[in-house]
């Protein structure tokens, strides 16, 4: 298959334009549109004849396959279909300060966390940088823009399916493109990346993308508990993870976010909060608490919202800043990987009935 237009360098587009006997300046025009994430049909200064010649190369993009809107808070869950038929999820959340898209970086995930639906069938493949850009553009084009605003999506979190640092090069290339001032121009300060803790990659990431906010999925106050729910902890221990998280905070001067899903009878007691506080003391950080979203295939149960608030108060008593994350889109399978699994199961059933 020929290379997609959106994956080509300026030089490659110039060569292609020359082969089509078109003037060289067209290449730059096309390239500039592509950097802005614009589809070929909308490249208004390119003649229709040329656009038609290039249409077959305007591929490899995520398209909205299904969309569910929460009746509770307007959160919008997308199922994106990729060119090869694979599906990934995205969630668009509306906040006072703007709209945040949570996007996927891999089809599935290899990290094997015990509570996560995305990892149940392993990682099928990495997403390319262009596919990630197209998730953002598909949601951007679907989301009504407020008057006088250049863009509807202002913030990104790389927290959909996949481990972003396990797809390192494509994720760094994606960040470069999405933040380019002459391109889509989303501020790196409005972007968060979440990792389960690939320690050497986190270290490299600090120098490759120092302005992006780092979230670390911690979910446990010690190695014993973390070993039970996150296989990555067998490779990189909690001490190494906290050390690199601290490095991020010191090098960038920005606080690191720790994600902590509260699980009944596992990591949510007062003793756990004290142990966690001791571990985090001295790190410029904030803890995001979330009651675990129960996943049908896993027998782990979340705590109540009230218990989560209590855990936050215990952390506060120990001078650790923490908040309970607002649950968004709970009525539309908001948790990671749930909608994709449901649709894939529905598809499989429909095939069986055929
Ligand atoms: N692989 C990355 C990013 C994807 S998961 C990471 O591990 O950080 C995004 C976040 O959702 C992570 O913090 C993950 O631990 C959390 N998560 C996954 N399944 C969950 C569930 N059932 N309930 C609550 N949080 C969950």
């Amino acid at each position: 298959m020929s290379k997609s237009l959106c994956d080509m360098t300026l030089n490659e587009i110039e060569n292609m334009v020359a082969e089509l006997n078109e003037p060289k300046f067209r290449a730059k025009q096309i390239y500039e549109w592509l950097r802005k994430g614009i589809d070929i049909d909308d490249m208004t200064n390119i003649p229709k004849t040329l656009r038609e010649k290039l249409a077959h190369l305007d591929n490899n993009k995520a398209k909205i396959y299904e969309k569910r809107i929460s009746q509770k808070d307007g959160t919008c869950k997308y199922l994106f279909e990729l060119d090869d038929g694979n599906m990934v999820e995205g969630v668009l959340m509306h906040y006072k300060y703007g709209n945040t898209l949570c996007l996927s970086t891999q089809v599935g995930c290899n990290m094997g966390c015990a509570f996560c639906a995305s990892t149940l069938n392993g990682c099928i493949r990495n997403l390319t940088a262009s596919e990630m850009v197209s998730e953002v553009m598909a949601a951007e084009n679907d989301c009504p823009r407020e008057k006088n605003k250049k863009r509807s999506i202002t913030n990104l979190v790389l927290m959909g399916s996949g481990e972003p640092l396990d797809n390192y090069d494509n994720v760094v290339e994606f960040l470069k493109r999405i933040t380019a001032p002459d391109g889509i121009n989303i501020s790196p300060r409005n972007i968060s990346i979440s990792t389960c803790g690939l320690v050497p990659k986190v270290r490299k990431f600090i120098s490759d993308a120092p302005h992006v906010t780092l979230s670390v999925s911690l979910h446990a106050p010690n190695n014993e508990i973390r070993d039970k729910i996150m296989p990555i902890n067998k490779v990189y221990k909690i001490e190494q993870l906290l050390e690199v998280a601290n490095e991020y905070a010191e090098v960038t001067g920005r606080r690191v976010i720790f994600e902590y899903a509260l699980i009944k009878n596992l990591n949510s007691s007062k003793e756990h909060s004290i142990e966690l506080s001791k571990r985090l003391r001295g790190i410029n950080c904030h803890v995001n608490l979330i009651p675990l979203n129960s996943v049908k295939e896993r027998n782990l149960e979340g705590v109540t919202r009230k218990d989560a608030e209590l855990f936050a108060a215990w952390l506060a008593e120990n001078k650790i800043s923490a908040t309970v994350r607002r649950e968004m889109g709970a009525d539309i399978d908001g948790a990671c990987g749930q909608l994709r699994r449901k649709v894939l199961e529905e598809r499989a059933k429909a095939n069986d009935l055929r």
Side-chain angles (χ1 to χ4, degrees):
M1 206 169 75
S2 341
K3 197 168 184 181
S4 295
L5 211 48
C6 49
D7 286 317
M8 288 186 191
T9 60
L10 177 58
N11 203 260
E12 286 170 324
I13 300 175
E14 277 169 356
N15 292 340
M16 188 183 61
V17 163
E19 271 171 37
L20 294 170
N21 293 322
E22 296 279 347
K24 191 175 170 190
F25 71 90
R26 293 286 179 216
K28 186 129 190 287
Q29 289 177 317
I30 293 169
Y31 184 75
E32 277 167 5
W33 285 118
L34 290 170
R35 294 303 95 176
K36 293 190 163 65
I38 300 296
D39 290 336
I40 196 124
D41 281 345
D42 300 320
M43 297 184 181
T44 46
N45 57 2
I46 305 295
K48 192 152 183 262
T49 48
L50 178 54
R51 278 190 269 141
E52 279 168 359
K53 280 188 217 163
L54 298 176
H56 70 290
L57 298 174
D58 194 24
N59 54 6
N60 248 339
K61 291 181 174 174
K63 292 184 196 73
I64 298 170
Y65 176 84
E66 193 173 317
K67 172 178 164 184
R68 294 190 186 176
I69 301 177
S70 163
Q71 300 303 308
K72 284 186 181 161
D73 52 34
T75 295
C76 186
K77 179 117 197 187
Y78 294 109
L79 194 59
F80 295 116
E81 186 171 32
L82 307 173
D83 265 10
D84 61 1
N86 273 310
M87 303 270 192
V88 291
E89 294 178 14
V91 186
L92 183 62
M93 294 158 285
H94 308 285
Y95 294 104
K96 276 193 213 98
Y97 55 78
N99 294 320
T100 298
L101 181 71
C102 169
L103 67 130
S104 291
T105 55
Q106 295 180 315
V107 181
C109 182
N110 265 339
M111 296 299 118
C113 298
F115 43 80
C116 181
S118 295
T119 194
L120 288 166
N121 295 91
C123 175
I124 295 167
R125 71 170 175 85
N126 284 332
L127 261 62
T128 63
S130 307
E131 283 174 326
M132 290 180 250
V133 170
S134 67
E135 286 180 77
V136 179
M137 292 316 294
E140 169 74 31
N141 294 332
D142 185 60
C143 180
R145 192 165 314 163
E146 274 179 46
K147 258 194 197 156
N148 310 325
K149 291 257 165 78
K150 266 222 277 251
R151 184 177 313 108
S152 52
I153 293 173
T154 52
N155 297 60
L156 298 176
V157 293
L158 278 64
M159 272 203 188
S161 69
E163 166 52 48
L165 300 185
D166 191 34
N167 181 13
Y168 193 88
D169 293 342
N170 291 349
V171 164
V172 169
E173 170 66 20
F174 161 73
L175 291 172
K176 210 165 89 188
R177 284 200 208 165
I178 208 88
T179 57
D182 62 342
I184 299 166
N185 195 17
I186 294 184
S187 163
R189 294 189 178 279
N190 292 353
I191 303 178
S192 298
I193 186 167
S194 179
T195 179
C196 66
L198 303 178
V199 170
K201 296 278 176 62
V202 177
R203 191 158 281 127
K204 187 161 157 38
F205 191 75
I206 297 174
S207 48
D208 285 339
H211 302 301
V212 169
T213 300
L214 179 69
S215 278
V216 172
S217 299
L218 191 60
H219 303 320
N222 59 42
N223 285 314
E224 200 192 336
I225 297 178
R226 204 162 190 267
D227 277 346
K228 280 189 196 153
I229 50 175
M230 300 184 74
I232 192 67
N233 202 66
K234 302 233 159 76
V235 187
Y236 305 111
K237 295 287 153 204
I238 214 166
E239 293 80 5
Q240 295 167 278
L241 181 56
L242 294 179
E243 189 184 314
V244 80
N246 189 41
E247 258 172 61
Y248 164 85
E250 289 192 341
V251 172
T252 63
R254 314 179 63 206
R255 62 183 192 172
V256 58
I257 309 293
F258 290 109
E259 303 290 333
Y260 197 100
L262 291 157
I263 308 171
K264 240 187 206 166
N265 304 324
L266 189 78
N267 64 1
S268 50
S269 71
K270 184 158 191 179
E271 286 67 39
H272 294 136
S273 77
I274 294 169
E275 199 178 356
L276 181 64
S277 309
K278 284 190 187 143
R279 286 255 183 217
L280 301 186
R281 189 147 303 140
I283 303 179
N284 179 16
C285 70
H286 179 80
V287 180
N288 254 338
L289 298 166
I290 180 171
L292 185 88
N293 243 307
S294 300
V295 173
K296 197 170 78 186
E297 291 82 351
R298 307 293 204 191
N299 56 359
L300 295 169
E301 219 183 305
V303 304
T304 61
R305 175 123 198 138
K306 219 171 130 209
D307 285 342
E309 301 285 1
L310 201 57
F311 199 88
W314 291 330
L315 290 178
E317 278 172 22
N318 288 296
K319 310 265 179 301
I320 299 293
S321 119
T323 40
V324 181
R325 228 198 299 163
R326 241 190 332 139
E327 241 184 299
M328 305 290 273
D331 54 332
I332 49 165
D333 295 310
C336 220
Q338 288 184 345
L339 179 59
R340 170 168 167 260
R341 283 196 72 73
K342 211 179 211 173
V343 169
L344 292 182
E345 274 170 19
E346 281 164 12
R347 264 194 183 177
K349 257 189 221 149
N351 282 337
D352 280 351
L353 292 176
R354 241 179 239 158

